[in-house]
């Protein structure tokens, strides 16, 4: 006996929390195995691999896996924004705490690259309500770009303060190459990479600005970029007045 004919209209996938959870698990599990096993083999935990070429191959596999992990982390973060998988914490913090965490994370690397990294702490700023981890994550994305594209001998300055509208603005300003209009359009597009190679580190996934902007939007804030070719870049991440405590 023949079964009943079935017809279904097929639409695009729904990027929700369940989709994000499955994607994260299915991507992370094999990558974790690749990184773990290649690291164990490169360290010859169970004995030598034999031919020296095998050691080279394992090292290349591990380094490629680390690069893939960096890219996938950015992709999953963007996906989490679209899937509404991020629930912000209402932390009561001060801007100086955020800048101090960034300083701890980036000062040594900036020094190694010969870039003068300066933090201007506003110790008189009011406390604010925001997700500290996500705020640091957004600023991490912007600061990493600034440092990567600033040559040795250049400067990157990170500051914070209340703006004219009563909100709080974090500013990351560098003396890097700046960008033309077309370059800025590329940088703002997902997976966009400007033609110039970074002065330090490896090229990123081209998602940092998008992730930072998404995190600021979740805080009802905004991200803006001011730049000119040969004159550096300034990025402002603004939190609204409503997030500052009285």
């Amino acid at each position: 006996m023949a079964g009943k004919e079935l017809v279904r209209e097929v639409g695009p996938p729904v990027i929700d929390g369940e989709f994000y959870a499955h994607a994260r698990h299915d991507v992370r599990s094999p990558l974790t195995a690749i990184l773990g096993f290649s690291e164990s083999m490169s360290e010859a935990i169970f004995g030598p691999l034999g031919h020296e070429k095998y050691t080279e191959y394992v090292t290349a596999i591990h380094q490629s896996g680390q690069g893939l992990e960096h890219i996938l982390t950015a992709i999953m973060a963007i996906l989490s924004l679209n899937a509404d998988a991020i629930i912000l914490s209402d932390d009561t913090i001060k801007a100086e705490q955020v800048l101090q965490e960034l300083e701890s994370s980036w000062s040594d690397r900036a020094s190694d690259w010969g870039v003068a990294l300066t933090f201007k702490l506003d110790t008189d700023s009011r406390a604010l309500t925001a997700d500290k981890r996500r705020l640091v994550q957004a600023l991490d994305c912007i600061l990493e770009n600034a440092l990567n594209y600033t040559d040795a001998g250049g400067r990157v300055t990170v500051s914070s303060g209340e703006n004219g509208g009563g909100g709080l603005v974090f500013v990351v300003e560098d003396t890097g190459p700046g960008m033309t209009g077309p370059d800025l359009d590329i940088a703002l597009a997902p997976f966009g990479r400007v033609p110039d190679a970074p002065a330090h580190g490896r090229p990123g996934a081209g998602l940092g600005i998008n992730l930072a902007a998404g995190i600021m939007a979740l805080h009802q804030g905004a991200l803006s970029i001011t730049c000119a070719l040969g004159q550096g870049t300034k990025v402002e991440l603004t939190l609204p007045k409503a997030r500052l405590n009285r």
Side-chain angles (χ1 to χ4, degrees):
M1 177 177 169
K4 182 179 179 181
E5 183 179 59
L6 301 175
V7 178
R8 293 285 190 277
E9 291 287 339
V10 181
V14 177
I15 309 300
D16 55 13
E18 184 178 2
F19 181 99
Y20 170 75
H22 281 295
R24 178 169 179 159
H25 176 269
D26 291 348
V27 167
R28 287 289 184 189
S29 295
L31 182 58
T32 299
I34 291 170
L35 289 172
F37 288 137
S38 60
E39 182 176 20
S40 297
M41 293 173 73
S42 65
E43 294 176 356
I45 291 178
F46 299 107
L49 296 178
H51 198 285
E52 63 181 16
K53 279 293 182 183
Y54 290 145
T55 302
E56 292 180 20
Y57 295 161
V58 167
T59 300
I61 290 170
H62 189 69
Q63 290 175 345
S64 298
Q66 289 177 318
L68 180 59
E69 182 182 38
H70 183 71
I71 293 172
L72 286 175
T73 297
I75 292 174
M76 295 307 297
I78 292 292
L79 185 58
S80 70
L81 291 174
N82 292 329
D84 294 326
I86 293 180
I87 300 175
L88 297 180
S89 298
D90 288 332
D91 304 321
T92 300
I93 57 175
K94 298 199 72 173
E96 63 184 281
Q97 294 175 276
V98 175
L99 266 58
Q100 286 169 347
E101 189 163 328
L102 292 169
E103 185 175 17
S104 176
S105 299
W106 289 101
S107 288
D108 288 345
R109 197 178 313 183
S111 179
D112 290 342
W113 289 343
V115 178
L117 177 58
T118 303
F119 289 85
K120 296 181 178 180
L121 304 180
D122 181 6
T123 55
D124 294 328
S125 65
R126 288 182 287 168
L128 61 135
T129 301
D131 188 318
K132 181 185 176 184
R133 184 173 72 87
R134 294 298 180 181
L135 202 52
V136 169
Q137 184 181 22
L139 283 159
D140 261 335
C141 293
I142 302 305
L143 182 52
E144 181 176 14
N145 281 344
L147 289 170
N148 280 350
Y149 284 91
T150 299
D151 288 325
R155 300 187 312 278
V156 175
T157 303
V158 186
S159 60
S160 67
E162 294 186 27
N163 61 14
L168 181 74
V169 59
F170 292 92
V171 181
V172 180
E173 193 164 7
D174 65 60
T175 60
M179 289 180 282
T180 63
D183 284 345
L184 183 56
D185 290 338
I186 292 172
L188 295 179
F191 299 102
R193 296 185 181 92
V194 294
D196 291 334
H200 317 282
R202 70 178 75 187
L207 293 171
I209 295 174
N210 300 107
L211 177 58
I215 291 173
M216 296 310 296
L218 288 176
H219 284 87
Q220 299 82 44
L223 183 151
S224 65
I225 299 176
T226 304
C227 62
L229 187 63
Q231 298 182 41
T233 301
K234 179 170 73 172
V235 182
E236 296 178 297
L237 299 90
T238 304
L239 291 168
K241 180 180 180 180
R243 287 205 167 264
L244 271 66
N245 300 344
R246 294 182 180 276

